[in-house]
Amino acid sequence: ETWTEGRTFFLTEKTLKLINFKKPFIVYGSQDCLCYLRQMGFQTFGEFWDEDYDGYADHLRFEKITKLINDIAAKPMSELVEMYDKMQDVLEHNYQLLLERSYTTKIEYVE
């Protein structure tokens, strides 16, 4: 995302495009970005990988995301294919929420 510092929540096409094309995502946005997405009704991928990076600030979040990407990249292709197959319900849910614009815009600030 464009805004990666502080506590601002502002989604751009960088994340929305992935939802629209039914692709899984790791968001390098502001702290608690995934929490706010979930408040809107979107599902994230905590079932498939560790999303604790979301609660960290600035450079620590970047380091956590880098480690996560490396961990995913080290998985065998067969495991990645299986993981992607299991994600289909989440991807479809997010797509429909975006398509129908049925997400909520009322978000509570995370402290």
Side-chain angles (χ1 to χ4, degrees), residues 86-104:
K86 290 178 180 178
M87 288 178 182
Q88 294 308 304
D89 289 341
V90 172
L91 298 171
E92 183 63 28
H93 168 84
N94 290 342
Y95 173 76
Q96 290 300 323
L97 201 65
L98 184 63
L99 181 69
E100 297 167 6
R101 297 183 180 181
S102 55
Y103 48 84
T104 184

Side-chain angles (χ1 to χ4, degrees), residues 29-61:
S30 60
Q31 186 174 352
D32 298 316
C33 185
L34 295 180
C35 181
Y36 296 128
L37 274 170
R38 288 189 292 268
Q39 284 187 41
M40 293 176 72
F42 291 100
Q43 295 175 4
T44 60
F45 301 91
E47 177 184 341
F48 305 99
W49 53 68
D50 188 357
E51 294 184 327
D52 78 328
Y53 68 86
D54 190 48
Y56 287 86
D58 306 324
H59 74 280
L60 290 175
R61 188 172 57 262

